[in-house]
Amino acid sequence: MTRYFGLSAALAVVLLSGCEAGTTPPTATPKPESQRMKVETAKATCMKQRGFRYVPWIPKLPDPSPQEVRAGNGDHLAMLDQRQRYGFGIYSGYALPDNPDAGGRKFGVDSPNNRYTAKMSQTQAQAFVEAEDACFVKVAKDVLGKTVTSPGDFWDQYTRTREAVAARELDGDTRLVELAQAYGDCMKAKGYPVASVRPSVIVTQARDQVQEQFFDLGARQNGEPATEHESDYGKSIPDLTPAEAAPYLAKEVRVALDDLSCGKSFFPLYFPQQRRIQGRISAEFGLD
């Protein structure tokens, strides 16, 4: 069973799952003085006090290619190329495990802490996770000034803050509202459910529907109910072979291309503004 856990693992989700068509990954290698590294270093100290070895670790991703930058700014041809290959980047890592550009599923596997816990008994590993969660709560307060009850609460706060700022700054943009309405009408005409045409909601609505089906599949495989977090933290992800993932990816690509077709005029105006907001909120939550 695999889940999105821990600051490093969840941060990898932010970095990797955000690399689907239409978004651009931030520069991956942080400066030593970054807030992210301060959090990891403080976490290591806390874990040592609790009797565990913890190696400060931040996932390293390559800098975005020129095409990824164009896609991140809503360039239609760049987004078309990405989505034709990888859809939204949800099942692509499963279906194309040897393709480094497919993204997705192997977040965190290179963490030295994963290798450390893999050698533990189930009881020891559970104790490690509990200690890591407790240390995260402490470090979030000490380093970031964030009062949280758990890592999941941290990521829920991050998600709510990001969505609130996007709603405040983007949903009142007259031109975006106009384009979002046309985008929604187009998706409805193609047979997709459209719960909202607010710019900050509709931009990820199709992707979110595919992603929720992805998490539901993981929950079913593990015989458990879906996790209720607003963020993706703690949700089970499925275990799929490339052959099993291929039909899911094919369907995802069709949805992603329909979404791109309908949002063709919307994305170039929305994404640059969204990226600026993302940068501000990431800095506030120590993810810069």
Side-chain angles (χ1 to χ4, degrees), residues 49-167:
Q49 293 170 347
R50 290 173 176 264
F52 292 102
R53 179 176 66 86
Y54 182 87
V55 178
W57 175 81
I58 296 173
K60 292 181 174 63
L61 299 174
D63 290 336
S65 68
Q67 182 169 352
E68 287 173 327
V69 172
R70 290 195 297 273
N73 284 316
D75 179 85
H76 181 74
L77 291 180
M79 291 181 69
L80 178 63
D81 181 68
Q82 285 190 341
R83 293 196 177 193
Q84 284 176 329
R85 298 168 186 257
Y86 312 123
F88 296 114
I90 295 169
Y91 289 100
S92 54
Y94 289 85
L96 305 166
D98 298 323
N99 184 338
D101 295 324
R105 82 185 192 93
K106 292 186 177 180
F107 69 89
V109 295
D110 294 325
S111 167
N113 300 301
N114 285 0
R115 294 192 291 271
Y116 174 51
T117 56
K119 299 175 182 178
M120 295 179 175
S121 68
Q122 185 174 356
T123 300
Q124 290 173 324
Q126 181 62 34
F128 180 94
V129 170
E130 291 174 358
E132 186 180 13
D133 286 355
C135 284
F136 180 85
V137 169
K138 181 179 186 303
V139 170
K141 180 66 174 178
D142 293 347
V143 178
L144 303 176
K146 296 292 182 183
T147 300
V148 301
T149 58
S150 67
D153 180 43
F154 174 89
W155 289 104
D156 287 350
Q157 287 189 32
Y158 168 80
T159 299
R160 288 196 300 270
T161 302
R162 184 188 63 201
E163 291 176 350
V165 174

Side-chain angles (χ1 to χ4, degrees), residues 3 12 23 36 41 62 71 135 141 163 166 172 176 180 184 188 196 208 210 233-234 247-248 258 263 268 273 277:
R3 300 176 187 238
T23 60
R36 279 155 49 186
T41 301
C135 284
K141 180 66 174 178
E163 291 176 350
L176 277 178
K188 288 178 183 177
S196 172
D208 290 345
V210 176
Y233 177 90
Y248 288 105
D258 283 343
Q273 297 182 61
I277 291 171

